[in-house]
Amino acid sequence: MKIVLGSASTALGEKIAELTNLEKVTVAHKTFPDGESYIRLEGNVQNEHVVIVQTTSTAQDTRLIQLAFMADAAKRNGASKVTAVVPYLGYARQDKMFLQGEGISIETIARMLQAAGVDALLTVNIHAENALKKFPFPAKTLSAIPLLAEYFVQKGCKKAFALAPDKGAMYIAEQAQVVLGGEAGHLDKQRDRHTGQTTQTAEGLNVKGQTVIIFDDIISTGGTIVGAAKILREHGAERILAACVHPVLVGDAEKRILDAGVEEIVGTDSVPTHVSKVSLAPLIAKALKAQKSG
Ligand code: R5P
């Protein structure tokens, strides 16, 4: 097994290689004047199970194309198997046709990766596990929530209330609760599929005087966390913190969240930002070691 350091996740790939003792393959990449991507693997992958680490946040389209090109290059240069480790899997939220006329973006991505030579996929906290069924090859998701919760335990937040901003994320709050040892609950969120606008409500939420950590898979515009923080303040929460696996943080999301009274935002290096205080490397390394010995 060898590990290919995709340009979107070089630092994370390095850490995983260190924890697994896997040999690294670096990648030369450039962007042509017209915007097209070029990649070249700088190591021998003949007869190797190749693990490509490449997140697909931010410039999703470019990073997905680069991933496909790396898989193709690996196969053309003799790799026996290609596993794509994609910490943040872009387009996973479009896993069904919500409105007439739409497609299923994640299924298109899955087929594209298969055509490029990917044989297996490992991701982290995919938005909905349903999306994994769209892959024509083995696809698995890991959870970084225990690692995030452990970060807060180390910061003295044992027994904090774990809050999911919507019912769908309750499983996330429950995973955090196991580590934090406090209570857990969720808000309810409705989304207008045409405008994208959301409204949140709380029923029977008792967080008065508590330290509350809002756990979510993604923070994108920050609207969900800002709305949740408002409700928590109205319900008398003493301290509000926010954690997510994928800190996409579009535009001024971080400022809006902090302005809404959230003390700290904590994310992982699935999307490398200055709030990425928790590394996914140990989680991914453990999964790869199990694959290697399995
Ligand atoms: C949606 O259901 C997700 O779990 C997140 O809550 C959502 O993607 C966050 O987006 P935003 O930060 O734009 O509210």
Side-chain angles (χ1 to χ4, degrees):
M1 202 183 247
K2 285 191 180 179
I3 189 156
V4 171
L5 308 176
S7 64
S9 298
T10 313
L12 176 59
E14 296 261 13
K15 283 187 194 160
I16 297 169
E18 203 178 305
L19 293 174
T20 51
N21 280 323
L22 288 177
E23 195 181 317
K24 293 178 281 190
V25 175
T26 54
V27 184
H29 60 91
K30 65 181 175 189
T31 307
F32 289 107
D34 61 357
E36 291 182 356
S37 298
Y38 167 92
I39 68 95
R40 185 174 60 82
L41 305 184
E42 297 181 309
N44 182 9
V45 293
Q46 188 75 36
N47 298 324
E48 293 284 351
H49 177 178
V50 165
V51 175
I52 304 171
V53 185
Q54 169 89 338
T55 205
T56 60
S57 59
T58 325
Q60 291 91 330
D61 299 357
T62 301
R63 289 174 168 183
L64 279 164
I65 283 292
Q66 288 173 344
L67 173 61
F69 288 177
M70 286 186 278
D72 177 61
K75 280 287 173 70
R76 285 181 201 273
N77 286 277
S80 55
K81 182 176 177 184
V82 171
T83 295
V85 171
V86 188
Y88 175 73
L89 183 59
Y91 294 103
R93 283 178 284 183
Q94 185 72 24
D95 62 349
K96 57 180 160 222
M97 296 163 74
F98 297 96
L99 296 175
Q100 195 182 356
E102 290 181 348
I104 303 178
S105 310
I106 194 61
E107 193 164 337
T108 307
I109 300 296
R111 286 204 232 108
M112 179 184 93
L113 293 179
Q114 184 193 35
V118 173
D119 301 296
L121 176 108
L122 189 60
T123 186
V124 182
N125 289 94
I126 194 163
H127 178 61
E129 294 212 8
N130 186 42
L132 296 174
K133 296 193 195 125
K134 308 293 179 196
F135 283 78
F137 47 72
K140 198 178 156 189
T141 186
L142 305 170
S143 179
I145 298 300
L147 289 177
L148 284 165
E150 189 51 43
Y151 171 92
F152 287 104
V153 170
Q154 297 305 324
K155 295 272 280 190
C157 294
K158 188 104 188 128
K159 301 275 180 215
F161 189 107
L163 184 87
D166 56 53
K167 203 172 172 191
M170 188 57 197
Y171 81 98
I172 287 180
E174 283 167 350
Q175 287 179 5
Q177 182 188 26
V178 171
V179 178
L180 292 166
E183 293 174 70
H186 69 86
L187 303 180
D188 288 297
K189 183 168 88 174
Q190 291 80 33
R191 185 182 294 275
D192 181 317
R193 284 276 160 206
H194 291 277
T195 64
Q197 290 281 47
T198 57
T199 44
Q200 285 157 289
T201 48
E203 224 168 273
L205 187 73
N206 185 3
V207 291
K208 202 168 169 48
Q210 297 221 48
T211 294
V212 182
I213 308 170
I214 311 165
F215 283 89
D216 209 350
D217 54 344
I218 306 167
I219 299 179
S220 181
T221 65
T224 302
I225 301 292
V226 169
K230 183 170 179 281
I231 292 177
L232 288 171
R233 282 199 319 273
E234 287 164 2
H235 283 71
E238 190 179 306
R239 294 178 65 197
I240 307 170
L241 302 114
C244 69
V245 178
H246 311 297
V248 175
L249 297 176
V250 175
D252 63 350
E254 184 184 356
K255 182 178 181 311
R256 290 178 57 223
I257 292 170
L258 297 177
D259 287 351
V262 173
E263 247 176 67
E264 185 181 358
I265 307 168
V266 179
T268 79
D269 51 3
S270 117
V271 181
T273 67
H274 69 279
V275 307
S276 304
K277 299 163 193 168
V278 172
S279 180
L280 296 175
L283 184 72
I284 294 170
K286 192 172 164 206
L288 291 177
K289 278 186 196 161
Q291 257 196 39
K292 214 172 142 196
S293 58

